[in-house]
Amino acid sequence: MRKISYFLSFLVMLSLVLWLASPYWMLYQIHQAIEQNQAAKISKYIDFPQVQASLEPQIQQKIIQAIGLQNNPTWLGQLGEDMSEKIAHQVAQILLTPESIMLFMQGKQLKETVRLPKLSVNNTVEKILPFEKQASDQFLSVKNTPSLTTVNINQVKTHYISLNTFQVIVPTFSSKETKFIFKRHYIKWKLIGIYFN
């Protein structure tokens, strides 16, 4: 009878250790895919709709800052905000690829992956309309080729936010950081958000 209770205790402890170590195993798998430059392998760890929803407001804010219309209560500010929301949606769809996520995990920032033109308030109306129609061709340069330069793995910070939520903080090359939020889906983990600082 004692052997059975020891065996059950061992199984419970082993299950708990595996449960708590599972995000680290997932990170190891992602790290191996990045080192081997195999972006397709990290796709199974990404919840694309949720990541897109986390990127859109950040992209919209960068667009508004790029065209100089932040905190502008005029009709031009409202037009810029409305257009930037549509553009951010399109840009997030274009940007959200396993290759770009690999770049972010290597320490690249949003501005190093997407280039926005410098716009002034004087020519904003003339530039916004074609920007919405030809976001991927005329104004954006999405770099889909991952570079081999990566951040030191020892600089990456990881911790549980809750029992089913795990955060990875990757330093960028410009002394900032990118936060990746993973959520547990039964025994697997999925990336649900990317946040740039």
Side-chain angles (χ1 to χ4, degrees), residues 59-79:
I59 295 170
Q60 182 181 5
Q61 186 62 35
K62 287 201 177 288
I63 292 170
I64 289 173
Q65 288 174 352
I67 59 178
L69 291 176
Q70 63 268 27
N71 300 326
N72 189 338
T74 65
W75 67 271
L76 188 59
Q78 184 62 42
L79 177 66

Side-chain angles (χ1 to χ4, degrees), residues 37-40 42 48 91-104 106 108 112-115 136 140-148:
N37 201 17
Q38 296 177 339
I42 68 170
F48 286 98
V91 170
Q93 286 181 329
I94 294 166
L95 178 67
L96 195 56
T97 64
E99 291 83 5
S100 63
I101 291 176
M102 275 181 54
L103 287 172
F104 298 144
Q106 292 173 349
K108 302 286 184 186
E112 295 170 303
T113 306
V114 176
R115 293 185 192 164
S136 62
L140 294 178
S141 171
V142 177
K143 300 176 186 175
N144 284 329
T145 309
S147 82
L148 297 175

Side-chain angles (χ1 to χ4, degrees), residues 79 83 86-87 90 119 123-135 138-139:
L79 177 66
M83 292 294 186
K86 293 176 185 176
I87 294 167
Q90 292 174 354
L119 301 176
N123 65 2
T124 300
V125 174
E126 298 161 3
K127 299 268 183 165
I128 284 179
L129 296 177
F131 189 59
E132 180 186 9
K133 293 176 187 169
Q134 301 173 357
Q138 187 176 357
F139 291 95

Side-chain angles (χ1 to χ4, degrees), residues 16-35:
L16 182 62
V17 167
L18 291 176
W19 181 264
L20 293 175
S22 62
Y24 296 100
W25 175 251
M26 176 256 327
L27 289 177
Y28 174 76
Q29 295 293 322
I30 290 173
H31 179 70
Q32 292 298 319
I34 290 171
E35 280 187 346

